[in-house]
Amino acid sequence: MRINPRDMLEKINALLEELEQLTAQKKEEVEEYRIRFLSKKGAITALFDDFKAVPNDLKREMGQKLNHLRDIAQTKINTLKEQFEGNETQVSPTFDLSAPALPVFQMGARHPLSIVKNEIISIFSKIGFTISEGREIEDDWHNFSALNTPENHPARDMQDTFYVSLNPELVLRTQTSSVQVHIMENQKPPIRTLSPGRVYRNEAISARAHCQFHQVEGLFIDEKVSFADLKQTLLYFAKEMFGEETKIRLRPSYFPFTEPSAEMDISCTLCKGAGCNVCKHTGWVEILGCGMVDPQVLENCGIDSAKYKGFAFGMGIERITMLKYQMKDLRLFFENDVRVIKQFTAAEK
Ligand code: DAH
């Protein structure tokens, strides 16, 4: 009879799992387990019989697994038995803290947002961007005022802010643009950095919005930086991330900290520009905001705006991930259902 090694492995894993769950309230139960697993007609003995038909090249590996299974079963049964020794009437808890640890069966998987974040980082590292991280609890200056958004500025309404109630000066950062300010305050140009991180907004949770999400901020400051540099950098990113055939377009927009400002669309990844539900039949989808750093922001952070110029951009990691993997519900990212998360393992580079 031919033996399918995969079936055998499945059986071994199922038995290991069963063994791990095993508990006993009575001595007789332990004896039943011994018979079920290790006696002449037991499940493990049956596997050893099957083992004879395993192809030679797999014998070594399969043999080790089987021996391991038998050892685990023996140890488990001994441990269960010991509880009843010396005290025949006592019903004791089934924990034995000295028992050898059982192997971990369920391996986790990297979260899709981490996979995409790492991909973004790797794309920008290739063109010299460093990584910098800021803080999630931020003061008003770094999240707003230094970025040309003083109190009562209408642009604050674009971002529903969570204030830290003990101190109205403190907010949960609403954007990773706050990291720009820290960097510019503390480093001398040239600066070329990427800041990934979690941000918060007081939004109702739905398929398209959440009160926490992730952004990546990019900042480039040097003596001669132009809008053309910004455009080429973002075109390079779009092609690396979504494929060589991807096109971009920049639409004029408004952000308080950039002038001029733009939003960038990429040609729809699903219909390649022909028009579909994802791009609402326009052929384009928006993926980020960007612009030339407003000279006033440079000055706010102690950088001479007569000498230096810069560009900045910011994007949502959830949005990029949803587009890349055609996901429709943002909430999936925060439920941590291993069945969802595991589907991305193959995407990891
Ligand atoms: N911070 C903006 C937001 O959360 C995104 C953004 C737009 C960042 C333009 C930038 C930029 O650096 O230049 O919506």
Side-chain angles (χ1 to χ4, degrees), residues 115-116 119 123 238-243 266 269-270 317-327 344 347 349:
I115 295 176
V116 170
E119 197 172 344
I123 293 173
K239 284 175 179 281
E240 289 280 308
M241 190 74 197
F242 294 102
I266 55 166
T269 47
L270 196 64
I317 305 183
E318 280 78 357
R319 180 151 181 78
I320 304 281
T321 312
M322 287 169 83
L323 274 174
K324 196 159 163 112
Y325 297 112
Q326 287 152 32
M327 292 169 72
F344 295 84
K349 288 194 180 138

Side-chain angles (χ1 to χ4, degrees), residues 147 158-159 174-178 180 199 201 213 215-219 230 254-255 257-258 260-263 288-293 311-315:
L147 292 164
M158 287 159 79
Q159 304 185 358
T174 58
Q175 50 185 348
T176 43
S177 302
S178 56
Q180 280 188 31
V199 300
R201 289 190 196 172
F213 55 100
Q215 289 187 330
V216 173
E217 186 81 11
L219 178 71
L230 169 62
Y254 172 76
F255 298 100
F257 35 87
T258 41
S261 304
E263 277 172 321
L288 56 81
C290 60
M292 300 305 290
V293 180
F311 67 69
F313 55 88
M315 64 185 108

